[in-house]
Amino acid sequence: MLERSIGEFSRFLVIALGFTIFGFSTGQWLLGLTLALAIYLFWILWQQTRFDRWLSNGRQGPAPTSFGIWGEISDDFYRMQRRHRREKQKLHAMLRRVQDSTSALREGIVALEGDGNIAWWNPAAGEMLKLRPEDAGQPLINFLRDPGFVRYMHDPKIQGPLTLPAPGNDARTLQLEITRYGRDEALVIVRDITRLHNLEQMRRDFVANVSHELRTPLTVIAGYLETLEGSGLAPRAWERPLAQMQEQTTRMTSLVNDLLLLARLETSERDSGREKIPVCELVERVAREARSLGGDRHRISVDCAQDAVLSGDAGELHSAFANLALNAVKYSPDGGDIELRWWVDDRGGHFSVRDNGIGIDPIHIPRLTERFYRVDAGRSRESGGTGLGLAIVKHVLLRHNAELSVQSTPGRGSTFTLHFPPRKLISTAET
């Protein structure tokens, strides 16, 4: 830049010197110098006007040609134009590749602007959501009016995918997941999970039907075994086999009952009931059941300093609370301490079961709520567990908009905590 300025100043000095010498030859050197300055200023203004006109016309064509500093400026703009044109072509090519690749995806992709309006979608999304070209620029919730999706759109705290019927086709099931980025922009990923949904429904129906059909023969077998044991007519050699048969029948009945409860929880509506359950009474009841199961082998305490009333299904909540307490009894050694605690804070209500038992390795914690998942299969069979307790707890919490957290250290014990949102709590003044 300094070299250009020096060169332009030198050029002006040459012009001024030439006109001054011409002025001396005519006896008007001052007029010659003034004329040189006027010509140079006119040339500068003319070049500036040409350049400004070129900029005002949207820089159509190459920059105006000239010499001196304005010629160098024109050359710089010409090089910038060529570089910008190449970068623009690269961006267009990249955009075409992205659009071609997303168009080939089976998953639907919908790009949303900051106000939730549709900016772009790929063919798969158009087919699944019944979108037409004229729908661009409209809010997506105009085409997906499901209340769950509307909440999903407006609440960034909601995580994970959402499952709902396809617009205009209840036989088709879609899974939608929102990924937010930039300034309130978002991508909506749409997947057709109809086949997976139908397979899952078939599995649930099969488990429910089989469990229901097993209930009657198990009741008959249990009845006959009880009659034989109580009649005293069975030979002494049969006493032990009959006791084992009775024990296994009871265990299988418990398994069938858990399967039926789990099937009912899975197939019923996601929202829980509207019963008003005094929590401290429920916790004391669960503690009595835990003491009955464990006898005098454990020290079971209750901490329920702040009573509250939960809105929900009493039977389901009892099942969730009891499963955690009875698990603590089953997996804690004799003489262990078990604490059942309820408290309320700004985040809602919380029920925890803490024990100082065998604990759980952290690698098992993510899978604890899976059906039939066992950390120690041998110990679970000895304790009579079905492997469905925590799966039932998970589905009860889903129906009550609650969450489960687990903290455990092998050899030092575990703490299972149920977290209920504030909206599930009812003040005692309302009851």
Side-chain angles (χ1 to χ4, degrees):
M1 185 66 184
L2 181 60
E3 294 178 358
R4 292 183 181 182
S5 300
I6 292 174
E8 189 64 24
F9 183 69
S10 301
R11 191 174 294 109
F12 169 71
L13 288 179
V14 170
I15 295 173
L17 183 60
F19 273 86
T20 302
I21 293 173
F22 175 78
F24 270 113
S25 65
T26 60
Q28 300 289 335
W29 66 271
L30 183 61
L31 179 62
L33 180 61
T34 303
L35 183 62
L37 179 61
I39 292 174
Y40 181 78
L41 289 177
F42 175 78
W43 179 79
I44 291 291
L45 292 174
W46 181 58
Q47 296 297 334
Q48 180 180 337
T49 303
R50 293 176 63 205
F51 204 78
D52 182 65
R53 187 182 301 114
W54 176 71
L55 291 175
S56 301
N57 291 333
R59 293 180 290 182
Q60 298 293 329
T65 58
S66 183
F67 61 90
I69 191 170
W70 284 101
E72 294 175 357
I73 292 175
S74 298
D75 292 342
D76 288 343
F77 263 87
Y78 178 69
R79 285 190 290 268
M80 290 174 59
Q81 275 187 305
R82 292 185 60 185
R83 186 167 60 250
H84 175 71
R85 191 177 299 114
R86 287 195 299 268
E87 292 176 354
K88 189 175 181 180
Q89 290 172 350
K90 288 181 181 178
L91 289 175
H92 278 301
M94 185 181 299
L95 181 60
R96 283 196 300 270
R97 286 196 297 270
V98 170
Q99 290 180 337
D100 291 341
S101 60
T102 53
S103 297
L105 291 175
R106 294 183 179 181
E107 288 81 7
I109 300 177
V110 181
L112 301 181
E113 298 171 336
D115 51 5
N117 292 346
I118 302 173
W120 175 86
W121 64 88
N122 69 346
E127 189 272 329
M128 286 187 276
L129 301 180
K130 308 299 181 185
L131 298 175
R132 298 170 296 180
E134 56 268 26
D135 297 331
Q138 297 189 45
L140 183 59
I141 57 176
N142 286 358
F143 308 96
L144 292 169
R145 298 180 179 274
D146 186 275
F149 180 74
V150 175
R151 287 194 299 271
Y152 192 21
M153 280 287 298
H154 293 154
D155 189 355
K157 296 180 180 179
I158 301 178
Q159 301 293 325
L162 176 70
T163 301
L164 71 165
N169 185 4
D170 291 342
R172 193 176 190 181
T173 304
L174 303 180
Q175 184 185 76
L176 295 95
E177 187 167 7
I178 298 177
T179 301
R180 305 179 191 275
Y181 66 95
R183 296 185 177 180
D184 298 328
E185 297 173 306
L187 282 179
V188 181
I189 312 300
V190 188
R191 301 180 181 91
D192 187 341
I193 59 168
T194 304
R195 182 173 178 274
L196 182 62
H197 180 268
N198 291 341
L199 288 173
E200 183 67 15
Q201 185 63 46
M202 289 172 60
R203 183 197 61 79
R204 288 196 295 262
D205 293 342
F206 173 77
V207 171
N209 292 335
V210 169
S211 302
H212 184 75
E213 293 300 324
L214 284 174
R215 210 169 192 175
T216 300
L218 281 174
T219 303
V220 173
I221 293 171
Y224 279 117
L225 289 173
E226 186 177 351
T227 301
L228 282 172
E229 284 187 317
S231 66
L233 299 177
R236 292 184 60 84
W238 285 23
E239 288 182 1
R240 188 167 182 276
L242 286 173
Q244 290 179 333
M245 293 168 65
Q246 183 68 36
E247 179 184 347
Q248 295 303 317
T249 302
T250 301
R251 181 181 174 190
M252 195 167 183
T253 301
S254 176
L255 174 61
V256 168
N257 289 336
D258 283 352
L259 284 171
L260 287 172
L261 174 59
L262 190 56
R264 182 177 65 80
L265 291 172
E266 289 179 329
T267 55
S268 57
E269 295 293 330
R270 287 293 293 269
D271 281 342
S272 59
R274 294 293 183 268
E275 299 177 62
K276 298 177 180 178
I277 304 105
V279 180
C280 284
E281 292 182 14
L282 175 60
V283 175
E284 290 288 353
R285 177 185 169 192
V286 170
R288 289 194 298 270
E289 295 173 359
R291 294 188 185 104
S292 175
L293 176 66
D296 296 328
R297 300 193 305 272
H298 305 89
R299 292 183 294 271
I300 300 176
S301 62
V302 174
D303 180 4
C304 191
Q306 187 175 0
D307 197 4
V309 176
L310 267 177
S311 172
D313 185 287
E316 293 177 7
L317 288 175
H318 173 264
S319 178
F321 283 37
N323 268 301
L324 296 184
L326 299 182
N327 277 350
V329 172
K330 292 175 184 177
Y331 299 110
S332 294
D334 293 351
D337 293 317
I338 298 174
E339 181 189 45
L340 279 60
R341 182 180 175 226
W342 168 264
W343 74 98
V344 178
D345 56 24
D346 294 339
R347 295 175 296 174
H350 314 274
F351 171 72
S352 69
V353 177
R354 181 186 59 81
D355 65 64
N356 57 357
I358 60 175
I360 304 169
D361 193 297
I363 64 173
H364 296 292
I365 290 178
R367 299 188 60 190
L368 287 178
T369 57
E370 294 181 11
R371 301 174 187 85
F372 301 111
Y373 184 78
R374 300 175 186 271
V375 175
D376 185 343
R379 187 179 181 91
S380 297
R381 293 191 186 94
E382 291 175 6
S383 62
T386 64
L388 295 173
L390 291 178
I392 291 172
V393 171
K394 180 186 77 170
H395 284 279
V396 170
L397 296 183
L398 286 174
R399 285 172 45 78
H400 288 77
N401 305 114
E403 298 178 352
L404 169 68
S405 64
V406 183
Q407 295 178 333
S408 185
T409 303
R412 299 181 61 182
S414 306
T415 301
F416 288 76
T417 308
L418 310 183
H419 305 278
F420 296 89
R423 65 177 179 275
K424 300 300 292 185
L425 301 178
I426 303 174
S427 65
T428 53
E430 299 178 28
T431 58

